[in-house]
Amino acid sequence: MFASLKEKFLSSSWAPQDEHDRAIADLVDKATSEQLEGPDWGVNMAIVDLVNRNPAIMEEKLMRVLRRNVIRGSAKVQILTLTVLETCVKNGHASIYAALCASDLWSDLIKSAADTSVTRGPGQQTPA
């Protein structure tokens, strides 16, 4: 079930539509890079600053990019994505709660939690 959602989302070839999309996508890609050992707090706070400058526009764009990262399949990217989300919720404008509630990110998180095809890092066990 989740694999078909992943294929559908990735095949839609999400591409940035404007400079706001590109800015938020670039920062989230840096904050959730596979090469990171842990969260990059400087980039995470830059994301918060960008979203707080224009919450009405940027919150929806942020949720779309975070959703894309949750669907990717890598456990490391998913954890870093959740860290970005947590940073934005704790440090962002109060209206981010409404954007988060209205997004499809929750259903994707639930589906990814049940997905056994997620690639695990060394030393991580696949759930039974």
Side-chain angles (χ1 to χ4, degrees):
M1 177 163 83
F2 184 70
S4 65
L5 175 66
K6 187 187 319 184
E7 289 172 12
K8 179 181 175 186
F9 192 79
L10 294 176
S11 69
S12 67
S13 65
W14 182 86
Q17 302 297 320
D18 58 20
E19 71 274 358
H20 296 299
D21 279 337
R22 280 188 290 281
I24 198 77
D26 289 346
L27 283 174
V28 170
D29 287 344
K30 286 179 190 173
T32 60
S33 171
E34 283 280 349
Q35 284 73 34
L36 290 176
E37 294 284 324
D40 185 337
W41 296 108
V43 176
N44 287 0
M45 292 310 292
I47 294 168
V48 171
D49 290 341
L50 183 62
V51 172
N52 283 342
R53 273 188 239 142
N54 195 347
I57 294 173
M58 298 307 289
E59 289 167 349
E60 177 194 341
K61 295 177 185 303
L62 174 66
M63 294 305 150
R64 192 173 343 142
V65 174
L66 293 179
R67 182 174 180 229
R68 178 194 66 182
N69 282 1
V70 166
I71 292 174
R72 276 189 185 168
S74 166
K76 186 175 191 176
V77 170
Q78 290 175 343
I79 289 172
L80 291 171
T81 300
L82 291 175
T83 303
V84 169
L85 178 61
E86 178 186 20
T87 305
C88 290
V89 167
K90 288 183 176 181
N91 298 290
H93 193 270
S95 63
I96 198 166
Y97 304 130
L100 183 57
C101 290
S103 78
D104 291 331
L105 184 62
W106 292 113
S107 61
D108 294 334
L109 285 171
I110 291 168
K111 290 174 187 171
S112 68
D115 185 15
T116 58
S117 69
V118 173
T119 54
R120 311 271 180 224
Q124 294 179 326
Q125 295 182 2
T126 303

